[in-house]
Amino acid sequence: MSKTWNQTRVAEKLGIVYPLIQGPLGGFPSQRLTAAVSNFGGLGSFGAHGLEPSVIDERIAEIRSLTSKPFAMNLWGSMEDQGAHTSDDAAFQRALSHLSPHIKKVGGTTPSYSPYKAIRFEDQARALFDADVPVFSFIYGIPPKEILDEARRKGVITIGTATTPDEASALEQAGIDLVVASGFEAGGHRGSFLRSSEDSLTGTISLVPQTVDQISIPVIAAGGIADGRGIAAAFALGAEGVQMGTVFLGCEESGAHPVHREAILSGKAKHTSLTRGFTGRLARGIHNELLETLNRPNVEILPYPLQRGLMRSLALPAQEAGDAELLALWAGQSANLTQCTSVEKLLTELVESVEDKIDR
């Protein structure tokens, strides 16, 4: 008997029904989303890169209270940019000067400088292993050998992210189980690690087949995939799974602020742009007044994660004010294809659409 479209090495390795993976969406309270995707038969993911190990423990427990199915916890292999420890108050004030008018506009409080306090990747990874998570995914590089050895010893499936075929090869050589080939159409951060993010902007339709040809482990396509047509196309290019993020932001389970969800569902996301201004690292979001401000020449951007911390001083009051022009609204280039507001409805329609496209 011939295999159906969903019977791939990705689905088999992860122990899921459908090789559909929800992007981690770090920074959102998305435990409900993670569990809902896993309960449907896909792989829910939770972005934990900004959390202390004790908080990661709590989030894992919350997810486990909502699902008994496999899920992924996602970390960043690179936790800080050069200069994070040496950036001073003067740099903070220069970066703040571009945001101060916006903070004042929405009634926020001007923040004050405080030295950077690091969170160790190794401590976060230990929290995942101690909690026996089934899947460990990551971006921005390759974890140290001892962490990968521990993952293999405990039977944890590893998923790395590549933005170029060469990055995919490096992940395979390190013994990673699965690779996400992430095209530049994707919303959120570009997880490049061999070259700069700006020098690693490969589109999904170009990246996926080259990656499939270059490595032997299964490839998961990501970037600009938002409906059954995109999923079927990714499989035609050789992918054995698909990862999607933006489509889930419209769902009420996502934890995204209502203003963010409305911007995606209302058709206002047709213009997205790349910026370092939201966090200090290159990422894609809906083009608005804030993004335009931060992309102007001579605007000082602090190293990651200092810029990310600074932006919180604007994000909270802007959310309270409901000002979509002054929020970092993460979204990929296919955001305008997003229509569903619940996980079950979205995934049901995606599965039916893929089956129809492949049958035809």
Side-chain angles (χ1 to χ4, degrees), residues 265-276:
L265 294 169
S266 65
K268 298 175 182 176
K270 61 184 177 181
H271 184 187
T272 66
S273 299
L274 292 166
T275 184
R276 286 185 176 270

Side-chain angles (χ1 to χ4, degrees), residues 205-236:
I205 201 168
S206 175
L207 176 62
V208 170
Q210 291 185 71
T211 302
V212 168
D213 287 351
Q214 190 152 316
I215 64 176
S216 60
I217 58 177
V219 173
I220 299 162
I225 302 170
D227 58 16
R229 293 171 296 181
I231 296 171
F235 276 82

